[in-house]
Amino acid sequence: MTVLPAATSVEIKSMGCDDSAVLRERGQREVFCGLAPIVWLHRKIQDAFFLVVGSRTCAHLIQSAAGVMIFAEPRFATAIIEERDLAGRADANAELDRIVTRLLERRPDIRMLFLVGSCPSEVIKLDLDLAADRLMRTVGTGVRIVHFSGSGLETTFSQGEDACLTALVPHLPAAEAGAGRSLLVVGSLAEVVEGQLQRLLEGLGIERVRFFPPRNSDDLPPVGPDTVILLAHPFLATTARALESRGATRVSAPFPLGAEGTTLWLKAAADAFGVAPERFEAVTAPAAARAKMALERYREELSGKTIFFFPDSQIEIPLARFLSRELGMTLAEVGTPYLNRQLIAPELALLPSGTRLSEGQDLERQLDRCRADHPDLVVCGLGLANPFEAEGIATKWSIELLFTPIQGYDQAGDLAELFARPLVRRSRLVELAPCN
Amino acid sequence: MQLTLWTYEGPSHIGAIRVAAAMTGVHFVLHAPQGDSYADLLFTMIERGQKRPPVTYTSFQGRELASNTSELFKTAARDAIERYKPQALLVGSSCTAELIQDDTGGLARAMNLPIPVVPVELSAFMRKENWGANETFYQLVRALAGPNVPAPGTPRPPRAPGQRPRCNLLGATSLGFRHRDDVTEITRLLDRIGIDVNVAAPLGASPADLARLGDADFNVVLYPEVASAAAEWLKRSFGQPAVTTVPLGIGATIDFIKEVAALAGIDPAPALATLPSRLPWYSRSVDSNYLTGKRVFVFGDATHAVGAARVAVKELGFTVVGLGTYSREQARDVREAAKLYGVEALITDDYLEVEAKVAEAQPDLVLGTQMERHVAKRLGVPCAVISAPVHVQDFPARYAPQLGFEGANVLFDTWIHPLMMGLEEHLLTMFRHDFEFHEEAAPSHLGRGAAQAAERPADPVAVAAAPAVAPDTSGSTSAPATGDIVPVWTADAEKELLKVPFFVRGKARRNTERFARERGLAQITVEALYDAKANVGR
């Protein structure tokens, strides 16, 4: 059969950003806190319940972020701290015990309870680690109670998932010695994506593949010195460190977005497991070709267009790499809330050199830069999107990128379509004045 | 602590933002941790605002708690003034900032800013959204109209000859349920009876507009949840009386016109000679006959709940079987209204409790908030939204007031729409086994939507959460409930019960069981079912 050129040999001339050009800013930030990922995590781990210990603001945030979904049977709630809880910590702990007891009585199907810290619980120094241990002993028979912080003080949006998974790492069983090497894919992925990646990895001959987090809390994957971890998302730095501290080895790779990203990601796994290049080609080439074909449809729409990323979830850099290399978009600025040099290095090496990167945010100044750039498309949160549209600037709202299956070969076209859609829509609404 | 799955109101600082975002020329510097800017999307997405709300968040993070968060606040305030050049600056703290106790008001005052600074204390751990809006509006009014307050005892100057009476319209905000169109509707109504609007606030008003609130002859409080404190202060300071009847429905609008006319010193008779609303005729027309006695459960903020109950009973001929509110501040008004309809008011912000009460009352229609829409969907009961909190679909593009005469038209259409239409209701009662039109199907005028589930048992969570519900003996003169005897349905009776149309079947089941309990029957037979029917009526 024809062997397609290996994706690792792609042209990398004029590519590569080191981090010297990163603009670091602090100031007003228009981002979610780490509580927001509860909106997808509670669906991912199906027997888990997320109890936020916080204020009415926290409850309101999750409710607003979850939109209509809150009307289904939600597996999350907020223990709202009230004036009387602020009097003393002991009292707050007793209240927490009462609420958890009530909750577990009411929901006997829950096998894992996350106590999620918030800004208020952290400022009053409510020790939820201690509370989790105590509750496991007192009320939680058969229920694993785990604490992590999703507060805005400590976490930005997707870092909430990082904190959640990090807290779970100590609960993972130890891998049996001599069981052989296994691959652990880390990060919440859509079911359809998980299935596709599993098939590809198995096709490569990597037999022992597990995903973390699992769909059920009693199915926690084992970890140990024979575990190879591959991150599915760039925002999982502390989870990776925690897994490494249990002996696992992380394999560095770009993230599985687009045809190229997916190939490089799979290649990293293949290399770690000594998969022969021929086999790698045979397994991945048809899917990669299919992905490229799907992308072709959107290339015409997106090629040459300028895009500006506001910081949101840390997936901005991999997305920018995908959009510039596979769809020919021009990068104005790529903002990220947090830039982990180690994890993102393979991505930076693929960005056009000289790309303006920014870490953190000073909202008003970034808005000024954005307007001065006149980008064709702005990736930003819902607080900014409509105001930009009203100014005549096309936007792609960023949360959708966390709520849509976008990883892997067979989602590459869908991912491109997410960026093409706002532009197509604008070109369709010909009879409308720009704004009214 | 309070276990909350869903909150009817946001925190108090959301109320403050609603007031700031409603106005022009006001900027709000909110001391808050990173992440609290989620609030912006309520305004940009739910209300589809074209501008960011005028809020600068200090967005402090953990590492900044160790250093100087007050410096961060001062920088944010300075930058906001320089960039936005507002006429007045509102400053306050969200819940977390309240805990770290930076005195935002004191800090801002010490900065000697060139514009009026209005600090607002939001008591985040005690108060909620509507209180926050009320307090913020009051503080703004006091700060901006305060300098124009006449000396105590100064008589109000007489109106210039030929000048029409003027009033202020108080209470409309951003994110208010239909506030946009209510203001338009009431402004038109007032104009029709010869009264001008001096200032409508906070929605659309600037600080300069607030400064001239005292020029009006009286105030119209459209939404007491937001404007009661400001109206009270204006009454004390400028001697302006306030109209407190909220013109929701025909009867209330007539009362409103009479009250307004009395304050303006004009004759209401010409305005009342013709009522430009179709509700009265639509409701009297024979097509509406089948609406008589439909059992309705009403829940929402106090203003809309009380108003809706009056319309339901006196203008549509429904029966109110439940009335409640999450507005504890106005609980007394709701209790008084509930007495009128012979029900006990439900004052709670626990949605599970509301759900349990709806399940217990088995209404034919629920009038409530976005949350009751969910409850009703679960229980398979038709529902219409009458009050915030609401989602994006209740900020419609079309003109859709709730108040005044056009508002009454909107209410008629909105509330009737979810009900099964008359002919279909009759046919379902007669022929139950149609393959297409059957009780599991949605009313056919709603399309082939979700299946109804009229008799689905209430969700176990809700039932567990509900306070133990005593057997319902309200209004009955029966012997004390015999307690432990749970009457058992015979197979024949159970089958016969299925012949009762689904929308009244739940009630029939309840009435029959109560009848059996009261008479100490161990078994419910077909006879008992019909005995109960004869005793209780439909």
Side-chain angles (χ1 to χ4, degrees):
Chain A
M1 69 177 283
T2 318
V3 175
L4 295 175
T8 37
S9 68
V10 286
E11 182 67 43
I12 56 164
K13 207 182 291 172
S14 80
M15 284 291 158
C17 272
D18 58 29
D19 70 357
S20 62
V22 179
L23 181 64
R24 288 190 180 81
E25 289 195 308
R26 284 169 79 171
Q28 185 180 190
R29 298 181 69 149
E30 183 86 14
V31 288
F32 279 126
C33 65
L35 296 180
I38 290 174
V39 172
W40 68 79
L41 285 170
H42 87 280
R43 286 291 175 93
K44 179 75 198 177
I45 314 175
Q46 304 192 340
D47 55 357
F49 194 99
F50 292 79
L51 179 66
V52 177
V53 181
S55 62
R56 187 168 303 281
T57 310
C58 307
H60 195 237
L61 156 80
I62 305 180
Q63 179 170 315
S64 308
V68 288
M69 199 181 69
I70 192 125
F71 305 127
E73 185 60 48
R75 290 187 292 266
F76 50 84
T78 308
I80 294 183
I81 298 169
E82 295 170 305
E83 191 74 20
R84 59 203 176 92
D85 301 307
L86 298 174
R89 275 165 50 196
D91 181 38
N93 277 316
E95 285 288 289
L96 189 59
D97 291 6
R98 179 179 62 80
I99 281 182
V100 170
T101 307
R102 192 173 158 212
L103 190 66
L104 292 178
E105 279 169 8
R106 201 189 274 177
R107 298 294 302 259
D109 49 325
I110 297 305
R111 313 308 312 152
M112 185 184 280
L113 175 68
F114 287 99
L115 295 181
V116 189
S118 66
C119 302
S121 75
E122 273 171 29
V123 168
I124 65 171
K125 300 200 175 355
L126 191 58
D127 192 334
L128 293 178
D129 264 328
L130 213 63
D133 286 347
R134 184 184 66 241
L135 286 162
M136 280 261 267
R137 286 195 313 275
T138 52
V139 294
T141 45
V143 181
R144 207 189 290 269
I145 303 182
V146 182
H147 159 246
F148 73 92
S149 169
S151 83
L153 297 173
E154 300 301 330
T155 54
T156 305
F157 194 29
S158 49
Q159 284 179 313
E161 174 169 333
D162 193 21
C164 174
L165 299 188
T166 303
L168 273 185
V169 169
H171 296 265
L172 302 186
E176 280 174 46
R181 297 175 78 216
S182 63
L183 178 68
L184 186 61
V185 177
V186 183
S188 301
L189 290 167
E191 274 175 32
V192 59
V193 174
E194 228 176 72
Q196 290 166 4
L197 294 178
Q198 177 134 24
R199 280 196 297 279
L200 284 163
L201 291 164
E202 284 171 358
L204 294 175
I206 306 172
E207 280 164 13
R208 294 149 51 81
V209 180
R210 297 292 303 270
F211 289 83
F212 180 54
R215 285 181 211 170
N216 272 299
S217 64
D218 56 7
D219 190 28
L220 292 172
V223 64
D226 288 335
T227 309
V228 174
I229 57 173
L230 191 54
L231 301 185
H233 303 302
F235 47 75
L236 298 169
T238 59
T239 307
R241 273 203 300 281
L243 288 165
E244 282 165 346
S245 75
R246 294 214 36 196
T249 312
R250 185 177 69 84
V251 171
S252 180
F255 294 90
L257 297 172
E260 182 190 30
T262 304
T263 299
L264 293 173
W265 187 82
L266 288 168
K267 186 82 176 102
D271 290 348
F273 282 80
V275 177
E278 298 73 25
R279 182 164 190 180
F280 183 80
E281 285 306 319
V283 170
T284 58
R290 200 162 60 218
K292 284 175 188 159
M293 193 174 67
L295 288 174
E296 220 31 62
R297 192 175 321 143
Y298 302 104
R299 203 180 159 84
E300 189 182 350
E301 185 65 41
L302 293 171
S303 179
K305 299 275 192 337
T306 310
I307 189 163
F308 189 112
F309 284 87
F310 277 75
D312 188 53
S313 63
Q314 299 184 47
I315 63 170
E316 296 82 5
I317 290 174
L319 284 172
R321 178 263 302 159
F322 160 70
L323 292 168
S324 74
R325 289 172 63 89
E326 300 191 48
L327 292 158
M329 293 190 84
T330 304
L331 306 176
E333 175 170 329
V334 184
T336 177
Y338 183 69
L339 193 148
N340 184 299
R341 269 142 215 92
Q342 208 191 349
L343 298 191
I344 212 79
E347 292 283 354
L348 292 179
L350 296 173
L351 279 186
S353 58
T355 301
R356 193 205 306 155
L357 299 175
S358 63
E359 180 184 11
Q361 188 173 37
D362 184 337
L363 178 62
E364 300 286 2
R365 287 193 177 81
Q366 194 168 31
L367 288 167
D368 289 344
R369 287 200 301 277
C370 182
R371 292 184 182 115
D373 283 340
H374 297 295
D376 296 300
L377 192 62
V378 172
V379 183
C380 63
L382 292 174
L384 299 176
N386 270 336
F388 264 131
E389 294 280 351
E391 289 179 29
I393 298 173
T395 59
K396 164 75 228 113
W397 50 285
S398 50
I399 319 171
E400 198 172 12
L401 298 160
L402 278 296
F403 290 163
T404 311
I406 59 170
Q407 290 82 6
Y409 289 124
D410 291 312
Q411 280 67 239
D414 301 346
L415 178 56
E417 196 273 342
L418 287 180
F419 292 90
R421 194 188 302 161
L423 298 173
V424 170
R425 179 162 188 80
R426 285 168 78 82
S427 65
R428 283 185 180 215
L429 305 182
V430 286
E431 311 243 322
L432 303 183
C435 198
N436 63 21
Chain B
M1 287 183 197
Q2 184 197 5
L3 179 62
T4 307
L5 271 69
W6 205 84
T7 166
Y8 281 98
E9 290 182 73
S12 47
H13 71 261
I14 297 291
I17 301 178
R18 283 175 53 191
V19 171
M23 293 182 63
T24 59
V26 172
H27 197 87
F28 186 16
V29 179
L30 180 62
H31 207 17
Q34 161 180 262
D36 280 4
S37 58
Y38 81 87
D40 283 359
L41 68 87
L42 305 173
F43 299 87
T44 59
M45 296 304 291
I46 294 182
E47 201 172 43
R48 293 182 222 250
Q50 298 197 1
K51 286 186 175 153
R52 289 168 50 221
V55 184
T56 295
Y57 302 85
T58 55
S59 312
F60 55 84
Q61 291 176 263
R63 58 179 179 241
E64 281 142 350
L65 286 184
S67 57
N68 201 342
T69 49
S70 57
E71 209 46 54
L72 200 65
F73 172 82
K74 287 200 282 192
T75 309
R78 209 173 286 120
D79 288 354
I81 288 184
E82 191 178 327
R83 183 172 286 268
Y84 290 102
K85 303 188 169 46
Q87 295 164 40
L89 192 73
L90 196 59
V91 298
S93 291
S94 79
C95 50
T96 304
E98 190 179 316
L99 294 173
I100 61 175
Q101 297 184 327
D102 286 329
D103 171 15
T104 52
L107 288 168
R109 264 193 302 272
M111 290 169 72
N112 281 322
L113 297 168
I115 53 169
V117 172
V118 184
V120 55
E121 297 280 346
L122 290 163
S123 309
F125 294 91
M126 275 194 292
R127 307 296 192 174
K128 289 181 278 185
E129 179 175 335
N130 282 337
W131 185 91
N134 203 323
E135 175 68 11
T136 303
F137 186 48
Y138 161 64
Q139 293 295 351
L140 280 167
V141 167
R142 209 177 68 141
L144 296 162
N148 299 330
V149 172
T154 315
R156 285 193 66 78
R159 212 162 45 232
Q163 189 184 23
R164 303 214 305 179
R166 285 179 300 177
C167 69
N168 300 312
L169 278 190
L170 303 181
T173 63
S174 274
L175 274 185
F177 178 61
R178 308 296 168 85
H179 287 192
R180 176 195 71 192
D181 297 340
D182 283 350
V183 167
T184 305
E185 183 65 19
I186 297 308
T187 303
R188 283 181 193 161
L189 177 68
L190 290 166
D191 177 60
R192 236 184 92 232
I193 56 182
I195 297 168
D196 288 330
V197 171
N198 176 51
V199 173
L203 190 60
S206 67
D209 291 331
L210 295 194
R212 56 187 186 83
L213 281 169
D215 297 349
D217 301 306
F218 60 94
N219 290 311
V220 167
V221 180
L222 287 183
Y223 310 105
E225 281 84 355
V226 178
S228 60
E232 193 58 38
W233 181 85
L234 288 166
K235 186 175 176 183
R236 278 200 312 273
S237 306
F238 291 98
Q240 291 168 326
V243 174
T244 51
T245 299
V246 178
L248 185 79
I250 300 296
T253 301
I254 292 170
D255 289 352
F256 172 84
I257 290 172
K258 287 179 184 162
E259 204 178 335
V260 165
L263 286 179
I266 51 183
D267 178 12
L272 295 176
T274 57
L275 303 181
S277 173
R278 297 183 191 92
L279 180 143
W281 167 241
Y282 272 49
S283 190
R284 275 196 300 264
S285 80
V286 293
D287 187 53
S288 297
N289 223 308
Y290 80 110
L291 300 176
T292 312
K294 287 261 184 226
R295 308 169 74 258
V296 55
F297 192 102
V298 184
F299 194 85
D301 67 26
T303 300
H304 288 92
V306 170
R310 177 172 174 179
V311 174
V313 172
K314 299 188 174 169
E315 299 173 25
L316 296 174
F318 294 158
T319 300
V320 166
V321 294
L323 176 60
T325 186
Y326 57 82
S327 313
R328 288 184 189 277
E329 290 89 350
Q330 279 92 21
R332 188 198 295 179
D333 299 345
V334 179
R335 287 204 180 91
E336 275 171 21
K339 272 186 214 148
L340 296 177
Y341 311 115
V343 293
E344 195 183 331
L346 173 64
I347 312 295
T348 183
D349 57 0
D350 181 349
Y351 105 89
L352 292 173
E353 198 179 338
V354 177
E355 185 174 73
K357 292 286 185 198
V358 174
E360 187 195 336
Q362 297 272 358
D364 303 318
L365 175 68
V366 174
L367 299 176
T369 72
Q370 178 67 25
M371 194 57 227
E372 282 66 51
R373 194 182 258 172
H374 166 54
V375 169
K377 186 174 157 194
R378 282 190 122 127
L379 299 173
V381 180
C383 178
V385 169
I386 58 157
S387 160
V390 292
H391 207 31
V392 62
Q393 64 270 46
D394 276 300
F395 288 91
R398 69 181 184 279
Y399 186 58
Q402 299 284 290
L403 304 185
F405 293 122
E406 182 61 23
N409 293 339
V410 172
L411 296 184
F412 183 89
D413 291 344
T414 310
W415 299 5
I416 305 311
H417 180 74
L419 296 170
M420 177 85 61
M421 294 176 82
L423 177 61
E424 186 164 348
E425 188 177 304
H426 282 297
L427 289 174
L428 269 178
T429 313
M430 289 178 68
F431 313 110
R432 294 182 41 249
H433 300 292
D434 191 283
F435 68 94
E436 189 175 9
F437 305 102
H438 55 87
E439 56 197 44
E440 303 298 324
S444 60
H445 74 285
L446 299 180
R448 297 180 65 84
Q452 300 280 318
E455 265 207 300
R456 213 172 75 190
D459 147 59
V461 173
V463 172
V469 178
D472 182 2
T473 53
S474 62
S476 80
T477 51
S478 66
T482 35
D484 297 326
I485 300 172
V486 180
V488 178
W489 286 78
T490 63
D492 281 354
E494 191 81 56
K495 214 168 142 193
E496 197 68 12
L497 181 68
L498 287 178
K499 293 177 186 161
V500 176
F502 73 90
F503 37 83
V504 290
R505 195 180 302 149
K507 189 183 170 227
R509 178 187 286 278
R510 236 163 45 92
N511 286 343
T512 309
E513 286 172 358
R514 186 166 71 202
F515 175 85
R517 270 200 309 276
E518 283 167 9
R519 280 162 183 72
L521 304 177
Q523 272 203 335
I524 297 174
T525 58
V526 175
E527 294 305 311
L529 174 66
Y530 286 116
D531 282 349
K533 186 182 177 200
N535 263 275
V536 187
R538 189 178 144 159

